[in-house]
Every structure is written in structure tokens, then in C-alpha cells.
Amino acid sequence: MVTAFREGLKETGYVEGHNVAIEFRWANGQYDRLASLADDLVHRQVSVIAATSTPANIVAKAATNTIPIVFTAGSDPVQLGLVTSLNRPGGNATGVTQLTGEVAPKRVELAHQLVPTATLIGLLVNPGNPSAETLTQASQLAAETLGLQLVVLHASTEAELDTAFSTFVQKRAGALVIVTDAFFNGHAELLAALAIRNLLPAIYEYHPFVAAGGLVSYGGSIADSYRLAGVYVGRILKGEKPADLPVQQSAKVELIINLKSAKTLGLTIPISLLGRADEVIE
């Protein structure tokens, strides 16, 4: 993702180590660290803050109303209080939204297509995510429409992830949908391993989950969002103001399927899904 961000910067003429420096700060999914990281960047008087998760967006906005902020967000930035409107952000923040909320119900539908005999679907949520309730409600509505029962479990640590997967198995969940979250992004390999170990067909949003052995990913392209964010950072460095840069929407959606994992899980992927896939890992 950092590569995509650098590509966006390069499109506007900025190359790290040549005419721009990037100060990286990683919370590694520990949201309680975000405030101190944001305060440190404000203290250093950086030119722009790029915040690339919904929790980081909110914390950065609270930390400064003067330093420009470029966000990538999976939820409505107006509802999050980041901007006053999409076309006229009106403050020190602008950025890129992904089709996260919009495609959350689609992942429940995909779970039903992958395991049509399942009547109970698991939903894994990080309760610390500001968008958790909205995404959970959207998923529950999709499940009700399909006549499915949804079991919602929370996890925000590695230990809780292990417990949640064991509980899904005990409750006989036929498939699992993982709600988008920065902590989960950083634990894609662990999530994939837990899903395979527990023989639980699982769907997440991003490619790294499937590359690590997860079954399916479906969602907005995080690489495209990071690239667009890099472009906006470059434009701000050239003198444009966040208030004048409309929030962009990354409309690219990717379906990726891991056939090796499907075989391990004893699943046959419908031809209709394979035909729609942007990438099939064999």
C-alpha cells in the first residue's frame, strides 16, 4: 500500500528521498496509540498528515485544524465529521472514500453463494472501529433478506481472534464474514490461518487476506485509494487547499478467489463467481 501511495506522489512530481520526506507512524491496530502518534506529527509541524484508517482519520482531525489532512475512509466522511460535504470539504481535511459500507452486504451474499447450505453465518467485528455499528447493521439486514441467521462476535486482540474463531466453530457457523478494520488488515495472515485451521470459509475485503490463504476477498481496491491519496498529498504540497479538493471515491471493486483454499475447505466455487473474479489464485 505504501508503494501505491508513493506512486500517487510521483504522479505530482514528488519522490521520497529526493524532494519529499515521509515520516511513518504505525499504530499496528492499537487504536489507543493513535492520539500520541498524531500529536507527535503535529508537534513536528509536518506539511500534510495522511491518515489511512477510519480511527486514524478521526484522531488526526481532532489533533489539528490547521495542518492539512488527507484521509482514506471506508465510511461516509460527512457522518464521521471529517468534512462538511463531499464536494466542498470546507476545512483542513479531504481525501478518498472506498466502497466499504456499500459492499458490506455483498460479502454476506457471497458467503451464501459459496456455502448455500449454511443457515448460520458468522460476522467478526472490531468494536473499537468507529464504523463497526454501521457495517454490522448493513450485514445484518443482508442476512435477514436472505433468510440467514447472523452470529456477531467481537475481537480487538490476537487472543480474542483465536477465541472468536473457536466460538464460531462451536456455534456451527457455515461461513464467516470479516468486517473491514485496520487491526484486521494488519493481521491478514493470522486471520487466513485461523480460517483454514478451523475449516471455516471466510470472506474479507482486501487482497492480502486471500494471498495469505484466505478463501475470498471482495471490496474496494485499497491500492487505488492509497494512490489517489498520494496524488492529493502532492497537490496540497504544491499549494492547493484541502477545502478546495472534493472528496474522491475509489470506485474500483475487486473479487479475488483462492482455489487452493477452496479445495482445502472442500468447496466447489460456482462458475458464475469464477467468471466474475478479477484474480484467481491456484
Side-chain angles (χ1 to χ4, degrees):
M1 301 309 102
V2 173
T3 299
F5 180 78
R6 290 188 176 114
E7 288 174 357
L9 274 174
K10 189 176 181 180
E11 288 181 31
T12 59
Y14 288 98
V15 178
E16 184 183 12
H18 177 62
N19 57 357
V20 69
I22 303 176
E23 289 276 347
F24 291 99
R25 297 292 184 275
W26 306 102
N28 296 319
Q30 299 178 44
Y31 297 158
D32 57 350
R33 296 180 55 201
L34 287 170
S36 62
L37 295 177
D39 289 342
D40 178 49
L41 293 175
V42 172
H43 178 71
R44 289 174 177 268
Q45 297 184 319
V46 296
S47 299
V48 186
I49 295 176
T52 56
S53 73
T54 297
N57 305 158
I58 294 172
V59 170
K61 191 70 169 66
T64 178
N65 58 12
T66 55
I67 295 176
I69 296 168
V70 174
F71 56 77
T72 62
S75 300
D76 185 344
V78 177
Q79 290 184 353
L80 292 173
L82 299 173
V83 298
T84 55
S85 77
L86 299 182
N87 289 332
R88 297 180 180 276
N92 66 317
T94 188
V96 185
T97 63
Q98 298 159 227
L99 294 172
T100 298
E102 293 87 343
V103 301
K106 294 293 185 182
R107 284 189 280 274
V108 176
E109 293 176 18
L110 276 172
H112 182 54
Q113 287 181 269
L114 290 164
V115 192
T117 57
T119 57
L120 185 68
I121 304 294
L123 190 75
L124 183 64
V125 182
N126 183 347
N129 189 325
S131 301
E133 184 176 351
T134 299
L135 296 176
T136 298
Q137 290 176 349
S139 300
Q140 287 176 325
L141 181 60
E144 290 172 6
T145 301
L146 294 167
L148 302 173
Q149 184 180 352
L150 203 64
V151 175
V152 182
L153 295 180
H154 293 163
S156 57
T157 66
E158 291 187 9
E160 288 175 348
L161 286 176
D162 195 56
T163 300
F165 272 83
S166 296
T167 303
F168 283 130
V169 172
Q170 291 171 5
K171 290 183 176 292
R172 299 183 183 278
L176 171 65
V177 175
I178 303 170
V179 172
T180 307
D181 178 74
F183 170 71
F184 295 157
N185 292 348
H187 290 77
E189 291 186 7
L190 176 59
L191 288 168
L194 285 169
I196 293 297
R197 185 189 313 159
N198 290 281
L199 297 178
L200 190 56
I203 303 172
Y204 191 45
E205 181 167 12
Y206 298 127
H207 181 280
F209 172 72
V210 184
L215 178 61
V216 170
S217 67
Y218 181 73
S221 170
I222 192 170
D224 190 50
S225 296
Y226 273 59
R227 183 188 64 79
L228 292 171
V231 170
Y232 260 14
V233 168
R235 290 177 63 176
I236 290 170
L237 290 173
K238 286 181 177 292
E240 295 188 63
K241 298 186 181 304
D244 301 326
L245 295 173
V247 175
Q248 301 183 77
Q249 184 174 72
S250 174
K252 186 176 182 181
V253 178
E254 298 175 328
L255 171 64
I256 303 167
I257 299 171
N258 190 320
L259 284 182
K260 182 178 179 181
S261 297
K263 183 177 181 180
T264 299
L265 294 166
L267 289 180
T268 299
I269 305 296
I271 296 297
S272 58
L273 284 183
L274 290 173
R276 289 169 47 199
D278 295 277
E279 180 182 347
V280 176
I281 298 174
E282 300 187 62

